[in-house]
Amino acid sequence: MSRRPGEESSYAPQRDDLLLRLRKIEGQVKGIHRMIEEDKYCVDILIQIAAARAALKKVGTMIFEAHVRGCVRTAIVNQEDGEIINELIDVLNRFIN
């Protein structure tokens, strides 16, 4: 299932916040890159990797929640619940693994 042409994404109201979070994550990843180039202590690098992963997971969770509250709710109202539930299960399995 996909968005209809001209239809705004369910996460559109959060777009600015999501983009800000992604820019911060990008900075974290660049920092990790720099730490490796500078031969920093392993534990310090692993802590930064964990922080970047947590931040990325938060972005994913925000988009997932918007999807459920927007796209999934709309599909259920439009009686397209069988297809959207299968898609939701699939995306949830991909997201948590």
Side-chain angles (χ1 to χ4, degrees):
M1 182 162 208
S2 61
R3 216 170 61 224
R4 291 173 179 88
E7 187 177 31
E8 194 172 61
S9 65
S10 58
Y11 59 83
Q14 298 173 294
R15 182 177 290 123
D16 291 341
D17 185 31
L18 290 165
L19 291 172
L20 178 62
R21 288 173 182 271
L22 288 169
R23 280 192 293 278
K24 288 179 181 179
I25 293 166
E26 185 178 7
Q28 286 177 301
V29 172
K30 287 179 180 178
I32 294 166
H33 186 270
R34 199 169 32 257
M35 290 175 79
I36 292 172
E37 285 181 335
E38 296 171 1
D39 204 26
K40 298 292 182 182
Y41 184 54
C42 301
V43 172
D44 294 338
I45 295 169
L46 291 170
I47 289 169
Q48 291 305 311
I49 290 171
R53 288 175 63 191
L56 194 55
K57 183 177 179 182
K58 177 63 177 173
V59 168
T61 300
M62 291 171 68
I63 292 173
F64 184 81
E65 183 178 339
H67 177 64
V68 171
R69 293 183 187 279
C71 303
V72 173
R73 182 172 35 120
T74 299
I76 290 170
V77 167
N78 294 334
Q79 298 181 339
E80 300 167 353
D81 54 328
E83 183 180 349
I84 196 73
I85 289 171
N86 289 336
E87 179 187 71
L88 186 60
I89 291 168
D90 183 52
V91 75
L92 183 60
N93 283 325
R94 291 173 189 231
F95 184 66
I96 63 175
N97 288 326

